[in-house]
Amino acid sequence: MKFPNSGLYHYCLNMSEQVNKLLRKQQKPPMMMYVPPAERLQIQPEKHHIIERKWHKIWKPFLAGCKVWHAPFQSGRIIPERDSDTRVVLTVHDLNALHEGKAREEQLRSLAHTQNLIDRSDAIVCISEFTKNDVLNNCDVNGKPIHVIHNGLNKLSTPYLEATSYRPRRPFLFGLGYVNTKKNYHVLLPLLLANPDLELVVAGHHDEPEYASRMWTMAEDMGVSDRLYLAGPISESEKAWYLDNCMAFLHPSLAEGFGFTVVEAMSFGKPVFISNLTSLPEIGGDAAFYFSDFEAEHMQRVFREGMHTYNTTPLAEQLKKRAENFSMERSASQYLDVYQSLL
C-alpha cells in the first residue's frame, strides 16, 4: 500500500474492508492489516491494523499467534519464516516480466523471487485464469492448491474535477495506468493524427520518466502535442470524472495479470479498446474491442468500427453488466473460503 491510487493499493484496501464485513456478520474476529505508517488512517476502525516499522525486518512480533498470513503480491517482502506455524496464502497478480521483452536474466530473477514465495506458501491465488496458467507453466507449485479469484470493482468516488485539474477542451480519449513501456501508450498517438477533433489524456504515475519524454517527442514530431495531456497521478474523484466524460477508454498494454482499469471503464458503460494480449481478453470478453497489432492503420480501423458499433447498439448496457461480474463482495467471500480452508 505504498502507492495510493494504484490498483494494488485499492485491491488491498477494499479486500480487507469486504473480508471484515463478512467476518463481522459471522461474529468472528477481524482480519488485521499490515500497513505503512502513512496509511494507518485508511483502515477503519484503527484497531484493525498493524503499522510497519523499520525494525520489523529483524523481529516480527505481530506474527505471534497469526494463524493465516495473506501475502497480497508476488513481490512482497514480509512473510513468516519457513519454520513458523502460520499458514500462508500468496496472491500472484502476474508474471509480467515474461511478457514485457525484458532480458532473460531479469525474467529469471523475477521468477526466482516468486518461486521463493510459492515455496513458502500453503495456498496460491491468481487473479485471472491467464495468470494461473502462467504460474503452472513457469513455476513449481508442488501440488499446492491454486485458486482463481478475479479482482472486484471498488466503489468509485463521485466524479469531480478540482479547479486545478485539467479539463479537456475537446472530446477526449482516456488512458489510465503507470506510464511506462509495458503500458504501450505511445501507439495511441497516431489516432490523434487520424482524428484531429480529439484529445488524448493519459493519467498515472510516470513509472519510467524517459518513456514519458519519448511520448512527448513523438507527439511533437507528429504535430499532435497540443492534444496530448499526461496528467500524472490523479485523485479518485478525478479518475471518476475522466471515466464518466471520456469518449472511449484505451489500454494497449503489452502485459496484464488482470486489467483493473478496464473493469472501471466498463462500469461507466464506456467503450474499451484494449490489446488482445495476456489476460485482457479474459476481462473484456465480447464487450471490448481489441487491437491485434499496433500498426496505425489497424488501430484506426478498430477504433472507427468500434465507435460505430458502440453508437448504434446497446453496448453501453452490456459493458455495465460485464463489469458487475467483477464483484468485490464475491471476491472477498472467495478469499475468506481460502483462509478458512487452511485452519
Side-chain angles (χ1 to χ4, degrees):
M1 298 184 72
K2 283 190 173 183
F3 302 104
N5 298 322
S6 67
L8 183 59
Y9 175 93
H10 288 290
Y11 159 81
C12 293
L13 179 63
N14 291 296
M15 190 60 64
S16 68
E17 290 179 348
Q18 291 299 328
V19 167
N20 278 333
K21 283 183 180 179
L22 292 173
L23 289 172
R24 283 195 297 272
K25 289 181 180 178
Q26 298 175 13
Q27 297 183 329
K28 293 181 179 179
M31 177 175 69
M32 301 294 288
M33 284 285 287
Y34 182 73
V35 300
E39 300 306 317
R40 64 185 183 86
L41 297 179
Q42 294 297 325
I43 312 299
Q44 299 296 332
E46 193 170 338
K47 64 182 179 181
H48 289 174
H49 63 246
I50 301 164
I51 305 300
E52 180 182 16
R53 304 299 182 192
K54 291 182 179 179
W55 49 268
H56 286 172
K57 296 178 182 179
I58 302 171
W59 184 45
K60 307 177 182 66
F62 52 87
L63 288 176
C66 177
K67 294 181 180 180
V68 177
W69 177 266
H70 181 182
F73 188 53
Q74 73 275 358
S75 296
R77 299 169 291 108
I78 302 293
I79 198 164
E81 300 296 335
R82 294 180 187 275
D83 59 354
S84 168
D85 292 332
T86 302
R87 311 298 295 278
V88 175
V89 175
L90 171 68
T91 295
V92 180
H93 291 255
D94 60 68
L95 298 183
N96 281 348
L98 304 180
H99 307 286
E100 298 173 9
K102 294 183 181 295
R104 185 57 178 166
E105 181 180 350
E106 188 171 351
Q107 293 180 29
L108 292 175
R109 185 164 56 247
S110 177
L111 273 178
H113 181 81
T114 299
Q115 183 65 58
N116 184 58
L117 293 183
I118 288 173
D119 292 342
R120 175 60 191 91
S121 302
D122 298 284
I124 303 159
V125 172
C126 296
I127 64 173
S128 63
E129 290 288 347
F130 179 88
T131 297
K132 176 183 175 180
N133 291 330
D134 235 7
V135 169
L136 291 174
N137 290 331
N138 295 282
C139 302
D140 181 9
V141 301
N142 197 27
K144 296 173 182 178
I146 180 167
H147 310 268
V148 173
I149 301 178
H150 284 135
N151 287 342
L153 180 68
N154 62 289
K155 184 178 180 180
L156 293 169
S157 299
T158 301
Y160 181 73
L161 287 186
E162 302 286 346
T164 55
S165 301
Y166 177 71
R167 184 181 295 269
R169 298 182 296 275
R170 307 172 181 84
F172 68 99
L173 310 176
F174 185 48
L176 176 65
Y178 288 120
V179 179
N180 57 29
T181 304
K182 181 192 79 171
K183 297 298 186 184
N184 206 29
Y185 290 123
H186 69 282
V187 302
L188 301 176
L189 295 177
L191 290 177
L192 296 182
L193 269 179
N195 300 275
D197 55 334
L198 297 181
E199 292 185 35
L200 172 62
V201 177
V202 177
H205 175 70
H206 290 190
D207 203 32
E208 297 175 14
E210 65 280 6
Y211 177 75
S213 296
R214 290 202 305 272
M215 276 193 69
W216 273 117
T217 299
M218 289 179 63
E220 289 172 350
D221 290 345
M222 291 181 185
V224 298
S225 59
D226 62 321
R227 293 185 286 123
L228 170 66
Y229 186 75
L230 300 181
I234 57 176
S235 68
E236 286 298 289
S237 58
E238 287 175 311
K239 176 176 73 174
W241 191 92
Y242 288 126
L243 287 171
D244 193 34
N245 288 276
C246 68
M247 174 183 286
F249 181 81
L250 295 91
H251 196 68
S253 180
L254 300 176
E256 296 290 340
F258 180 75
F260 197 79
T261 56
V262 174
V263 178
E264 290 182 317
M266 290 194 299
S267 74
F268 280 85
K270 295 297 178 174
V272 293
F273 295 83
I274 57 184
S275 77
N276 66 344
L277 301 175
T278 60
S279 69
L280 290 173
E282 180 181 340
I283 306 308
D286 59 4
F289 302 109
Y290 294 95
F291 300 126
S292 58
D293 67 55
F294 303 114
E295 293 298 322
E297 183 178 342
H298 166 76
M299 294 185 69
Q300 171 59 16
R301 183 171 66 254
V302 171
F303 176 71
R304 182 180 65 250
E305 294 175 356
M307 290 306 303
H308 175 75
T309 298
Y310 179 80
N311 289 324
T312 57
T313 68
L315 184 58
E317 290 307 310
Q318 182 183 343
L319 286 156
K320 292 177 183 179
K321 287 181 179 178
R322 180 155 187 87
E324 291 173 359
N325 292 333
F326 303 97
S327 159
M328 187 65 71
E329 293 83 359
R330 184 186 303 116
S331 298
S333 178
Q334 292 172 317
Y335 268 106
L336 191 55
D337 287 343
V338 175
Y339 301 156
Q340 292 175 337
S341 72
L342 298 179
L343 295 176

Short mmCIF file of all heavy atoms in Angstrom, two decimals, residues 75-134:
data_model
loop_
_atom_site.label_atom_id
_atom_site.label_comp_id
_atom_site.label_asym_id
_atom_site.label_seq_id
_atom_site.Cartn_x
_atom_site.Cartn_y
_atom_site.Cartn_z
N SER A 75 5.66 -9.99 -5.20
CA SER A 75 6.95 -9.35 -4.93
C SER A 75 7.03 -8.84 -3.50
O SER A 75 7.80 -7.93 -3.20
CB SER A 75 7.18 -8.19 -5.92
OG SER A 75 7.26 -8.67 -7.24
N GLY A 76 6.20 -9.41 -2.61
CA GLY A 76 6.16 -8.95 -1.22
C GLY A 76 7.46 -9.18 -0.47
O GLY A 76 8.30 -9.99 -0.85
N ARG A 77 7.60 -8.45 0.64
CA ARG A 77 8.83 -8.52 1.43
C ARG A 77 8.63 -9.18 2.78
O ARG A 77 9.55 -9.74 3.35
CB ARG A 77 9.37 -7.10 1.66
CG ARG A 77 9.73 -6.35 0.39
CD ARG A 77 9.99 -4.88 0.66
NE ARG A 77 8.75 -4.18 1.04
CZ ARG A 77 8.47 -3.75 2.25
NH1 ARG A 77 9.32 -3.96 3.25
NH2 ARG A 77 7.35 -3.12 2.50
N ILE A 78 7.42 -9.08 3.34
CA ILE A 78 7.16 -9.60 4.68
C ILE A 78 6.39 -10.91 4.56
O ILE A 78 5.30 -10.96 3.99
CB ILE A 78 6.33 -8.59 5.51
CG1 ILE A 78 7.08 -7.25 5.62
CG2 ILE A 78 6.05 -9.16 6.89
CD1 ILE A 78 8.36 -7.32 6.42
N ILE A 79 6.97 -11.97 5.13
CA ILE A 79 6.33 -13.28 5.09
C ILE A 79 6.86 -14.10 6.26
O ILE A 79 8.03 -13.95 6.65
CB ILE A 79 6.59 -13.98 3.73
CG1 ILE A 79 5.59 -15.11 3.50
CG2 ILE A 79 8.02 -14.47 3.63
CD1 ILE A 79 5.53 -15.58 2.06
N PRO A 80 6.05 -14.93 6.90
CA PRO A 80 6.51 -15.73 8.04
C PRO A 80 7.66 -16.66 7.64
O PRO A 80 7.78 -17.09 6.50
CB PRO A 80 5.26 -16.53 8.43
CG PRO A 80 4.12 -15.73 7.92
CD PRO A 80 4.61 -15.10 6.65
N GLU A 81 8.51 -16.96 8.63
CA GLU A 81 9.63 -17.87 8.39
C GLU A 81 9.11 -19.26 8.04
O GLU A 81 7.98 -19.63 8.37
CB GLU A 81 10.52 -17.93 9.63
CG GLU A 81 11.13 -16.60 10.05
CD GLU A 81 12.09 -16.03 9.01
OE1 GLU A 81 12.64 -16.84 8.23
OE2 GLU A 81 12.26 -14.81 8.97
N ARG A 82 9.95 -20.04 7.40
CA ARG A 82 9.54 -21.36 6.94
C ARG A 82 9.21 -22.31 8.10
O ARG A 82 8.41 -23.23 7.94
CB ARG A 82 10.65 -21.98 6.08
CG ARG A 82 10.87 -21.23 4.78
CD ARG A 82 11.97 -21.88 3.95
NE ARG A 82 12.30 -21.06 2.78
CZ ARG A 82 11.66 -21.12 1.63
NH1 ARG A 82 10.66 -21.97 1.48
NH2 ARG A 82 12.00 -20.34 0.62
N ASP A 83 9.84 -22.10 9.26
CA ASP A 83 9.58 -22.99 10.39
C ASP A 83 8.41 -22.51 11.25
O ASP A 83 8.14 -23.05 12.32
CB ASP A 83 10.83 -23.14 11.26
CG ASP A 83 11.33 -21.80 11.81
OD1 ASP A 83 10.77 -20.75 11.44
OD2 ASP A 83 12.29 -21.81 12.60
N SER A 84 7.70 -21.48 10.78
CA SER A 84 6.56 -20.93 11.51
C SER A 84 5.34 -21.83 11.35
O SER A 84 5.19 -22.55 10.37
CB SER A 84 6.24 -19.53 10.99
OG SER A 84 5.00 -19.07 11.46
N ASP A 85 4.44 -21.77 12.34
CA ASP A 85 3.17 -22.50 12.26
C ASP A 85 2.12 -21.73 11.45
O ASP A 85 1.04 -22.25 11.20
CB ASP A 85 2.63 -22.76 13.67
CG ASP A 85 3.48 -23.75 14.44
OD1 ASP A 85 4.14 -24.60 13.79
OD2 ASP A 85 3.51 -23.66 15.68
N THR A 86 2.43 -20.49 11.09
CA THR A 86 1.49 -19.67 10.35
C THR A 86 1.32 -20.18 8.93
O THR A 86 2.30 -20.41 8.22
CB THR A 86 1.97 -18.20 10.31
OG1 THR A 86 2.14 -17.72 11.65
CG2 THR A 86 0.97 -17.32 9.57
N ARG A 87 0.08 -20.38 8.50
CA ARG A 87 -0.20 -20.78 7.12
C ARG A 87 -0.19 -19.54 6.24
O ARG A 87 -0.57 -18.45 6.68
CB ARG A 87 -1.55 -21.48 7.03
CG ARG A 87 -1.77 -22.59 8.05
CD ARG A 87 -0.77 -23.74 7.91
NE ARG A 87 -0.90 -24.44 6.64
CZ ARG A 87 -1.80 -25.39 6.41
NH1 ARG A 87 -2.68 -25.75 7.36
NH2 ARG A 87 -1.84 -26.00 5.24
N VAL A 88 0.23 -19.71 5.01
CA VAL A 88 0.42 -18.56 4.12
C VAL A 88 -0.40 -18.71 2.84
O VAL A 88 -0.36 -19.76 2.18
CB VAL A 88 1.91 -18.39 3.74
CG1 VAL A 88 2.09 -17.27 2.71
CG2 VAL A 88 2.74 -18.08 4.99
N VAL A 89 -1.17 -17.66 2.52
CA VAL A 89 -1.86 -17.53 1.24
C VAL A 89 -1.10 -16.50 0.43
O VAL A 89 -0.85 -15.39 0.89
CB VAL A 89 -3.32 -17.07 1.43
CG1 VAL A 89 -3.98 -16.84 0.07
CG2 VAL A 89 -4.11 -18.09 2.24
N LEU A 90 -0.72 -16.86 -0.77
CA LEU A 90 0.00 -15.95 -1.67
C LEU A 90 -0.87 -15.61 -2.86
O LEU A 90 -1.38 -16.50 -3.54
CB LEU A 90 1.30 -16.60 -2.16
CG LEU A 90 2.04 -15.84 -3.28
CD1 LEU A 90 2.60 -14.52 -2.76
CD2 LEU A 90 3.15 -16.71 -3.87
N THR A 91 -1.05 -14.31 -3.13
CA THR A 91 -1.72 -13.89 -4.35
C THR A 91 -0.68 -13.53 -5.40
O THR A 91 0.19 -12.68 -5.16
CB THR A 91 -2.63 -12.68 -4.10
OG1 THR A 91 -3.70 -13.06 -3.23
CG2 THR A 91 -3.24 -12.18 -5.41
N VAL A 92 -0.76 -14.18 -6.55
CA VAL A 92 0.10 -13.86 -7.69
C VAL A 92 -0.73 -13.07 -8.69
O VAL A 92 -1.70 -13.58 -9.24
CB VAL A 92 0.65 -15.15 -8.35
CG1 VAL A 92 1.55 -14.78 -9.53
CG2 VAL A 92 1.43 -15.98 -7.33
N HIS A 93 -0.35 -11.82 -8.88
CA HIS A 93 -1.09 -10.96 -9.80
C HIS A 93 -0.66 -11.19 -11.25
O HIS A 93 -1.49 -11.12 -12.16
CB HIS A 93 -0.90 -9.49 -9.43
CG HIS A 93 -1.55 -9.12 -8.14
ND1 HIS A 93 -2.72 -8.40 -8.07
CD2 HIS A 93 -1.21 -9.41 -6.85
CE1 HIS A 93 -3.07 -8.24 -6.80
NE2 HIS A 93 -2.17 -8.85 -6.04
N ASP A 94 0.62 -11.44 -11.45
CA ASP A 94 1.09 -11.63 -12.82
C ASP A 94 2.53 -12.13 -12.80
O ASP A 94 3.22 -12.06 -11.79
CB ASP A 94 1.02 -10.32 -13.61
CG ASP A 94 1.86 -9.20 -12.99
OD1 ASP A 94 3.11 -9.33 -13.01
OD2 ASP A 94 1.29 -8.22 -12.47
N LEU A 95 2.94 -12.65 -13.94
CA LEU A 95 4.35 -12.92 -14.22
C LEU A 95 4.73 -12.06 -15.42
O LEU A 95 5.28 -12.53 -16.42
CB LEU A 95 4.57 -14.41 -14.53
CG LEU A 95 4.23 -15.41 -13.42
CD1 LEU A 95 4.58 -16.83 -13.86
CD2 LEU A 95 4.94 -15.08 -12.11
N ASN A 96 4.43 -10.78 -15.33
CA ASN A 96 4.58 -9.88 -16.46
C ASN A 96 6.02 -9.75 -16.96
O ASN A 96 6.25 -9.40 -18.12
CB ASN A 96 4.05 -8.49 -16.12
CG ASN A 96 2.53 -8.42 -16.21
OD1 ASN A 96 1.90 -9.32 -16.74
ND2 ASN A 96 1.95 -7.36 -15.68
N ALA A 97 6.98 -10.03 -16.09
CA ALA A 97 8.38 -9.95 -16.53
C ALA A 97 8.64 -10.85 -17.73
O ALA A 97 9.54 -10.59 -18.54
CB ALA A 97 9.30 -10.34 -15.38
N LEU A 98 7.81 -11.89 -17.89
CA LEU A 98 7.98 -12.82 -19.01
C LEU A 98 7.41 -12.27 -20.31
O LEU A 98 7.69 -12.81 -21.38
CB LEU A 98 7.30 -14.15 -18.69
CG LEU A 98 7.73 -14.88 -17.42
CD1 LEU A 98 6.95 -16.18 -17.28
CD2 LEU A 98 9.23 -15.15 -17.43
N HIS A 99 6.60 -11.22 -20.23
CA HIS A 99 5.86 -10.75 -21.40
C HIS A 99 6.19 -9.32 -21.80
O HIS A 99 5.54 -8.77 -22.67
CB HIS A 99 4.35 -10.85 -21.12
CG HIS A 99 3.92 -12.21 -20.65
ND1 HIS A 99 3.82 -13.29 -21.50
CD2 HIS A 99 3.58 -12.66 -19.41
CE1 HIS A 99 3.43 -14.35 -20.81
NE2 HIS A 99 3.26 -13.99 -19.55
N GLU A 100 7.17 -8.72 -21.15
CA GLU A 100 7.47 -7.31 -21.38
C GLU A 100 8.72 -7.09 -22.22
O GLU A 100 9.17 -5.96 -22.38
CB GLU A 100 7.65 -6.60 -20.03
CG GLU A 100 6.42 -6.62 -19.16
CD GLU A 100 6.69 -6.04 -17.78
OE1 GLU A 100 7.78 -5.47 -17.57
OE2 GLU A 100 5.81 -6.16 -16.92
N GLY A 101 9.32 -8.17 -22.74
CA GLY A 101 10.53 -8.02 -23.53
C GLY A 101 11.77 -7.77 -22.69
O GLY A 101 12.78 -7.26 -23.20
N LYS A 102 11.71 -8.10 -21.41
CA LYS A 102 12.86 -7.91 -20.53
C LYS A 102 13.95 -8.93 -20.85
O LYS A 102 13.69 -10.00 -21.43
CB LYS A 102 12.45 -8.03 -19.07
CG LYS A 102 11.51 -6.93 -18.59
CD LYS A 102 11.22 -7.08 -17.12
CE LYS A 102 10.26 -6.00 -16.62
NZ LYS A 102 10.85 -4.66 -16.69
N ALA A 103 15.19 -8.62 -20.44
CA ALA A 103 16.30 -9.54 -20.62
C ALA A 103 16.03 -10.84 -19.87
O ALA A 103 15.38 -10.82 -18.82
CB ALA A 103 17.59 -8.90 -20.12
N ARG A 104 16.53 -11.94 -20.41
CA ARG A 104 16.28 -13.24 -19.79
C ARG A 104 16.77 -13.28 -18.34
O ARG A 104 16.13 -13.88 -17.48
CB ARG A 104 16.97 -14.35 -20.60
CG ARG A 104 16.68 -15.76 -20.10
CD ARG A 104 15.18 -16.04 -20.07
NE ARG A 104 14.89 -17.41 -19.65
CZ ARG A 104 13.70 -17.83 -19.27
NH1 ARG A 104 12.67 -16.98 -19.28
NH2 ARG A 104 13.49 -19.07 -18.90
N GLU A 105 17.88 -12.63 -18.07
CA GLU A 105 18.41 -12.61 -16.71
C GLU A 105 17.40 -11.96 -15.75
O GLU A 105 17.19 -12.45 -14.63
CB GLU A 105 19.73 -11.83 -16.67
CG GLU A 105 20.37 -11.77 -15.29
CD GLU A 105 21.68 -10.99 -15.31
OE1 GLU A 105 22.17 -10.66 -16.40
OE2 GLU A 105 22.20 -10.70 -14.21
N GLU A 106 16.78 -10.88 -16.18
CA GLU A 106 15.79 -10.21 -15.34
C GLU A 106 14.54 -11.06 -15.18
O GLU A 106 13.94 -11.11 -14.10
CB GLU A 106 15.43 -8.85 -15.93
CG GLU A 106 14.56 -8.00 -15.02
CD GLU A 106 14.40 -6.58 -15.53
OE1 GLU A 106 15.09 -6.21 -16.50
OE2 GLU A 106 13.57 -5.86 -14.95
N GLN A 107 14.14 -11.75 -16.23
CA GLN A 107 13.00 -12.66 -16.14
C GLN A 107 13.26 -13.75 -15.10
O GLN A 107 12.40 -14.05 -14.27
CB GLN A 107 12.73 -13.31 -17.50
CG GLN A 107 12.25 -12.36 -18.57
CD GLN A 107 12.00 -13.08 -19.88
OE1 GLN A 107 11.69 -14.26 -19.91
NE2 GLN A 107 12.15 -12.37 -20.99
N LEU A 108 14.45 -14.35 -15.15
CA LEU A 108 14.79 -15.43 -14.23
C LEU A 108 14.86 -14.92 -12.79
O LEU A 108 14.45 -15.63 -11.85
CB LEU A 108 16.12 -16.07 -14.63
CG LEU A 108 16.10 -16.84 -15.96
CD1 LEU A 108 17.50 -17.32 -16.31
CD2 LEU A 108 15.14 -18.03 -15.88
N ARG A 109 15.36 -13.71 -12.60
CA ARG A 109 15.43 -13.14 -11.25
C ARG A 109 14.04 -12.93 -10.68
O ARG A 109 13.76 -13.23 -9.52
CB ARG A 109 16.21 -11.83 -11.30
CG ARG A 109 16.46 -11.22 -9.92
CD ARG A 109 17.54 -10.14 -9.97
NE ARG A 109 17.24 -9.10 -10.94
CZ ARG A 109 17.94 -8.89 -12.05
NH1 ARG A 109 18.97 -9.68 -12.35
NH2 ARG A 109 17.61 -7.91 -12.87
N SER A 110 13.12 -12.41 -11.52
CA SER A 110 11.75 -12.21 -11.06
C SER A 110 11.07 -13.54 -10.76
O SER A 110 10.38 -13.68 -9.74
CB SER A 110 10.97 -11.45 -12.14
OG SER A 110 9.62 -11.29 -11.78
N LEU A 111 11.25 -14.52 -11.63
CA LEU A 111 10.67 -15.84 -11.39
C LEU A 111 11.19 -16.47 -10.11
O LEU A 111 10.44 -17.10 -9.36
CB LEU A 111 10.97 -16.77 -12.58
CG LEU A 111 10.02 -16.75 -13.76
CD1 LEU A 111 10.52 -17.70 -14.84
CD2 LEU A 111 8.60 -17.12 -13.35
N ALA A 112 12.48 -16.30 -9.85
CA ALA A 112 13.08 -16.90 -8.66
C ALA A 112 12.47 -16.31 -7.39
O ALA A 112 12.22 -17.04 -6.41
CB ALA A 112 14.60 -16.68 -8.67
N HIS A 113 12.20 -15.02 -7.40
CA HIS A 113 11.60 -14.39 -6.22
C HIS A 113 10.19 -14.93 -6.01
O HIS A 113 9.80 -15.27 -4.88
CB HIS A 113 11.56 -12.88 -6.38
CG HIS A 113 10.99 -12.16 -5.19
ND1 HIS A 113 11.72 -11.90 -4.05
CD2 HIS A 113 9.74 -11.69 -4.94
CE1 HIS A 113 10.95 -11.29 -3.17
NE2 HIS A 113 9.74 -11.15 -3.69
N THR A 114 9.41 -15.00 -7.09
CA THR A 114 8.05 -15.53 -6.98
C THR A 114 8.07 -16.98 -6.54
O THR A 114 7.26 -17.40 -5.70
CB THR A 114 7.30 -15.38 -8.32
OG1 THR A 114 7.23 -13.99 -8.66
CG2 THR A 114 5.89 -15.94 -8.22
N GLN A 115 8.99 -17.76 -7.10
CA GLN A 115 9.09 -19.17 -6.72
C GLN A 115 9.41 -19.32 -5.24
O GLN A 115 8.87 -20.21 -4.56
CB GLN A 115 10.16 -19.88 -7.55
CG GLN A 115 10.29 -21.37 -7.26
CD GLN A 115 9.04 -22.14 -7.66
OE1 GLN A 115 8.62 -22.12 -8.81
NE2 GLN A 115 8.42 -22.82 -6.70
N ASN A 116 10.25 -18.44 -4.71
CA ASN A 116 10.58 -18.49 -3.28
C ASN A 116 9.34 -18.29 -2.43
O ASN A 116 9.15 -18.97 -1.41
CB ASN A 116 11.63 -17.42 -2.97
CG ASN A 116 12.09 -17.48 -1.52
OD1 ASN A 116 12.58 -18.50 -1.05
ND2 ASN A 116 11.93 -16.36 -0.82
N LEU A 117 8.47 -17.37 -2.83
CA LEU A 117 7.24 -17.13 -2.08
C LEU A 117 6.26 -18.30 -2.25
O LEU A 117 5.56 -18.67 -1.31
CB LEU A 117 6.59 -15.82 -2.53
CG LEU A 117 7.36 -14.54 -2.20
CD1 LEU A 117 6.55 -13.32 -2.63
CD2 LEU A 117 7.70 -14.43 -0.73
N ILE A 118 6.22 -18.86 -3.44
CA ILE A 118 5.36 -20.04 -3.66
C ILE A 118 5.81 -21.19 -2.76
O ILE A 118 4.98 -21.89 -2.17
CB ILE A 118 5.39 -20.45 -5.15
CG1 ILE A 118 4.61 -19.44 -5.99
CG2 ILE A 118 4.80 -21.86 -5.35
CD1 ILE A 118 4.71 -19.67 -7.49
N ASP A 119 7.12 -21.38 -2.65
CA ASP A 119 7.65 -22.46 -1.81
C ASP A 119 7.25 -22.28 -0.35
O ASP A 119 7.05 -23.27 0.37
CB ASP A 119 9.18 -22.50 -1.91
CG ASP A 119 9.66 -22.95 -3.28
OD1 ASP A 119 8.86 -23.53 -4.03
OD2 ASP A 119 10.84 -22.70 -3.60
N ARG A 120 7.11 -21.02 0.07
CA ARG A 120 6.75 -20.77 1.48
C ARG A 120 5.24 -20.80 1.68
O ARG A 120 4.76 -20.84 2.81
CB ARG A 120 7.31 -19.40 1.91
CG ARG A 120 6.91 -18.94 3.31
CD ARG A 120 7.37 -19.91 4.39
NE ARG A 120 6.78 -19.60 5.68
CZ ARG A 120 5.63 -20.11 6.12
NH1 ARG A 120 4.92 -20.95 5.36
NH2 ARG A 120 5.18 -19.80 7.33
N SER A 121 4.46 -20.80 0.63
CA SER A 121 3.01 -20.69 0.73
C SER A 121 2.34 -22.04 0.91
O SER A 121 2.89 -23.09 0.58
CB SER A 121 2.46 -20.01 -0.52
OG SER A 121 3.05 -18.74 -0.71
N ASP A 122 1.12 -21.98 1.45
CA ASP A 122 0.29 -23.18 1.60
C ASP A 122 -0.86 -23.21 0.60
O ASP A 122 -1.43 -24.25 0.33
CB ASP A 122 -0.27 -23.23 3.02
CG ASP A 122 0.84 -23.33 4.06
OD1 ASP A 122 1.41 -24.42 4.21
OD2 ASP A 122 1.14 -22.29 4.69
N ALA A 123 -1.21 -22.05 0.08
CA ALA A 123 -2.25 -21.94 -0.96
C ALA A 123 -1.92 -20.74 -1.83
O ALA A 123 -1.36 -19.75 -1.35
CB ALA A 123 -3.64 -21.79 -0.35
N ILE A 124 -2.26 -20.83 -3.10
CA ILE A 124 -1.94 -19.78 -4.07
C ILE A 124 -3.24 -19.29 -4.70
O ILE A 124 -4.11 -20.09 -5.06
CB ILE A 124 -1.01 -20.31 -5.17
CG1 ILE A 124 0.27 -20.89 -4.55
CG2 ILE A 124 -0.66 -19.22 -6.17
CD1 ILE A 124 0.98 -21.87 -5.45
N VAL A 125 -3.36 -17.98 -4.82
CA VAL A 125 -4.49 -17.36 -5.52
C VAL A 125 -3.93 -16.60 -6.71
O VAL A 125 -2.95 -15.85 -6.57
CB VAL A 125 -5.27 -16.40 -4.60
CG1 VAL A 125 -6.32 -15.64 -5.40
CG2 VAL A 125 -5.92 -17.17 -3.46
N CYS A 126 -4.53 -16.77 -7.87
CA CYS A 126 -4.19 -15.99 -9.06
C CYS A 126 -5.39 -15.15 -9.44
O CYS A 126 -6.54 -15.58 -9.26
CB CYS A 126 -3.80 -16.91 -10.22
SG CYS A 126 -2.31 -17.88 -9.91
N ILE A 127 -5.15 -13.95 -9.97
CA ILE A 127 -6.25 -13.03 -10.22
C ILE A 127 -6.89 -13.21 -11.59
O ILE A 127 -7.83 -12.49 -11.93
CB ILE A 127 -5.82 -11.57 -10.00
CG1 ILE A 127 -4.75 -11.16 -11.01
CG2 ILE A 127 -5.33 -11.36 -8.58
CD1 ILE A 127 -4.41 -9.67 -10.96
N SER A 128 -6.40 -14.16 -12.36
CA SER A 128 -7.02 -14.49 -13.65
C SER A 128 -6.61 -15.90 -14.04
O SER A 128 -5.62 -16.44 -13.53
CB SER A 128 -6.58 -13.50 -14.74
OG SER A 128 -5.18 -13.58 -14.96
N GLU A 129 -7.38 -16.49 -14.94
CA GLU A 129 -7.02 -17.81 -15.47
C GLU A 129 -5.69 -17.72 -16.22
O GLU A 129 -4.88 -18.65 -16.19
CB GLU A 129 -8.12 -18.33 -16.40
CG GLU A 129 -9.41 -18.72 -15.70
CD GLU A 129 -9.28 -19.99 -14.87
OE1 GLU A 129 -8.27 -20.71 -15.04
OE2 GLU A 129 -10.19 -20.27 -14.06
N PHE A 130 -5.47 -16.60 -16.90
CA PHE A 130 -4.21 -16.42 -17.61
C PHE A 130 -3.03 -16.49 -16.65
O PHE A 130 -2.04 -17.18 -16.93
CB PHE A 130 -4.19 -15.09 -18.37
CG PHE A 130 -2.90 -14.85 -19.10
CD1 PHE A 130 -2.74 -15.33 -20.39
CD2 PHE A 130 -1.84 -14.20 -18.49
CE1 PHE A 130 -1.52 -15.15 -21.06
CE2 PHE A 130 -0.62 -14.02 -19.15
CZ PHE A 130 -0.47 -14.49 -20.43
N THR A 131 -3.14 -15.79 -15.53
CA THR A 131 -2.04 -15.81 -14.56
C THR A 131 -1.85 -17.21 -13.99
O THR A 131 -0.72 -17.67 -13.80
CB THR A 131 -2.30 -14.79 -13.43
OG1 THR A 131 -2.33 -13.47 -13.99
CG2 THR A 131 -1.22 -14.85 -12.37
N LYS A 132 -2.95 -17.89 -13.71
CA LYS A 132 -2.85 -19.26 -13.20
C LYS A 132 -2.07 -20.14 -14.17
O LYS A 132 -1.15 -20.88 -13.77
CB LYS A 132 -4.24 -19.85 -12.96
CG LYS A 132 -4.21 -21.31 -12.52
CD LYS A 132 -5.62 -21.87 -12.37
CE LYS A 132 -5.59 -23.37 -12.04
NZ LYS A 132 -6.96 -23.93 -11.89
N ASN A 133 -2.42 -20.08 -15.45
CA ASN A 133 -1.72 -20.89 -16.43
C ASN A 133 -0.25 -20.49 -16.55
O ASN A 133 0.63 -21.34 -16.73
CB ASN A 133 -2.41 -20.77 -17.79
CG ASN A 133 -3.77 -21.44 -17.81
OD1 ASN A 133 -4.00 -22.41 -17.10
ND2 ASN A 133 -4.68 -20.91 -18.62
N ASP A 134 0.02 -19.19 -16.43
CA ASP A 134 1.41 -18.72 -16.44
C ASP A 134 2.19 -19.33 -15.28
O ASP A 134 3.34 -19.74 -15.44
CB ASP A 134 1.42 -17.19 -16.35
CG ASP A 134 2.20 -16.55 -17.49
OD1 ASP A 134 2.62 -17.27 -18.41
OD2 ASP A 134 2.39 -15.32 -17.46
#
